[in-house]
Amino acid sequence: MDDSLLPDGDTYNAYINRLRIDHFVRLYREAAKARRPFTVFKLAHECGYRSYLGFYTAFRQRMGTSVMAWTRSEDLEPLDRSISGCLLP
């Protein structure tokens, strides 16, 4: 794919990661608002990420903060407070 055809001058991978992270944010907010049990990694997996490291790296690049800091700022903590085996505070 020709990178010059992508919005905002993104590379193909950056464009796909931007779409995936934006989709993750929507899913996270919907699940938290509906009080459905979920984990951050489960939502990330639904957005196409196969590893937490890949998701974390893309999330930090897109959002400018860590996943934990962002979830705290959202004030909509997941009901299942674990992320890939690590507990959220």
Side-chain angles (χ1 to χ4, degrees):
M1 178 175 220
D2 184 3
D3 287 348
S4 64
L5 301 176
L6 297 173
D8 301 324
D10 283 343
T11 65
Y12 177 75
N13 286 340
Y15 175 69
I16 295 301
N17 280 329
R18 181 166 53 90
L19 293 177
R20 286 177 172 172
I21 296 301
D22 290 351
H23 185 58
F24 168 83
V25 168
R26 281 190 300 278
L27 291 178
Y28 181 96
R29 288 177 175 158
E30 289 170 6
K33 186 175 181 180
R35 305 289 297 156
R36 289 191 311 263
F38 65 94
T39 64
V40 169
F41 185 68
K42 181 176 183 244
L43 295 180
H45 192 265
E46 289 178 29
C47 296
Y49 290 98
R50 299 294 172 244
S51 75
Y52 188 74
L53 180 59
F55 165 70
Y56 179 85
T57 301
F59 187 91
R60 191 168 190 88
Q61 287 174 345
R62 173 78 176 133
M63 304 301 285
T65 188
S66 71
V67 178
M68 284 180 37
W70 181 82
T71 58
R72 285 187 197 127
S73 73
E74 283 293 296
D75 199 29
L76 297 170
E77 296 277 337
L79 291 179
D80 180 346
R81 296 170 60 83
S82 65
I83 297 179
S84 185
C86 302
L87 290 179
L88 287 172

